Structure formats: structure tokens, C-alpha cells
Amino acid sequence: MEKQPLSKFDRYIKNSVKESVLEDYKNNSVIRGLIQLVPYGALVDNMITISYNNILIDRSKIFYSELNSGSIILTPEVIESEDFLHAYFSTYKAALYTRQRNKIRFFARLLRSGLIEQSIVNINEYEDYLKILDELSY
């Protein structure tokens, strides 16, 4: 998987605009519609949305790359387990909403080790580890 660098505009957005503002903007159709009424507003709307999506894609690539670096065996029973699905989606969401690339890798390692060591069987303990990791800074 070839990693493409973020564009200059994407890097500017990533480094200067709070991600919560970008997410709120992306999910607010009224504001987006009003901005599109302004001259060149549609262009600005498109650039902001694309930049935000590129940031999430970049983080996803880091997460899945790290997750794939170990030996995980996903059986149909594991994939269909509610505890596994909860752990997976909670971990993935936490990874997407952190800026620190090394922390994203730690989230992937937590999920991978949970699968290898069968600690996802105790989902409450896994959630505790996830919350601790989420609160730590790199």
C-alpha cells in the first residue's frame, strides 16, 4: 500500500483547524448549504470536506498497517462476536480521532494483542485499557 503525502492544503487544515470543528462542519448540512451560496463557497466546502476525509484516510492507513503487521487469526466466530465488534469499533474510532501517529499505532497494537491474548473475552477490562491509552499523551 503506497502512502501518498497530504497536499499542502490538507497539511494546513490538519495543523491549524481543530478537527472537532471540521467534523461539526461536515455534519452540519445547513451551514454547508449556506456557504455554498457565497461566491466560491462550493469550492471552499469541497476543499474542507476533502481535506478532512484525507486526514481520516491517512489515519486509517496507519491503523490498518500496524494491525496487519502481526499474526492475527480472525475466525468467523471471532468476527461475529459482539465483544470483538465492540472492541474493534471502539478502538478504530479512538484511533481516528487522535492526531498522534504513534498513538494510532498503539491503538492497533492494543487490538492486536487483545486478539492474540484473548483479552477481548473480558470486554470490560479491554475497555479500561482503551480508556487509559486514550487519555495518555504520547
Side-chain angles (χ1 to χ4, degrees):
M1 191 179 301
E2 187 177 318
K3 185 177 177 182
Q4 296 178 345
L6 294 174
S7 71
K8 188 175 183 179
F9 185 76
D10 290 343
R11 285 193 309 269
Y12 171 77
I13 293 291
K14 183 178 108 179
N15 294 326
S16 63
V17 179
K18 285 194 163 198
E19 290 163 33
S20 60
V21 173
L22 287 173
E23 186 176 3
D24 291 344
Y25 172 79
K26 182 181 176 189
N27 295 328
N28 192 326
S29 59
V30 173
I31 292 176
R32 289 183 68 190
L34 291 173
I35 286 179
Q36 290 183 9
L37 294 175
V38 176
Y40 301 108
L43 177 65
V44 171
D45 173 62
N46 192 32
M47 290 176 68
I48 290 173
T49 304
I50 288 172
S51 295
Y52 182 70
N53 288 336
N54 285 341
I55 291 168
L56 295 181
I57 289 168
D58 182 50
R59 291 176 185 174
S60 294
K61 286 179 183 178
I62 293 168
F63 180 79
Y64 288 121
S65 174
E66 183 66 35
L67 195 59
N68 195 34
S69 67
S71 58
I72 301 174
I73 299 173
L74 290 176
T75 62
E77 296 83 33
V78 170
I79 294 172
E80 293 172 359
S81 161
E82 184 178 347
D83 289 342
F84 166 75
L85 291 174
H86 178 77
Y88 168 75
F89 286 116
S90 297
T91 307
Y92 182 65
K93 179 181 177 186
L96 280 183
Y97 294 108
T98 187
R99 293 181 60 154
Q100 302 165 334
R101 300 304 187 247
N102 287 326
K103 196 170 178 183
I104 294 170
R105 290 181 186 94
F106 285 142
F107 282 122
R109 290 176 192 159
L110 177 66
L111 183 61
R112 188 175 64 217
S113 68
L115 288 168
I116 293 170
E117 297 172 9
Q118 304 280 322
S119 65
I120 292 181
V121 173
N122 184 352
I123 194 63
N124 294 328
E125 183 179 340
Y126 182 85
E127 281 184 333
D128 290 340
Y129 289 134
L130 183 61
K131 287 177 186 174
I132 290 169
L133 179 56
D134 194 27
E135 291 175 3
L136 292 174
S137 64
Y138 181 72

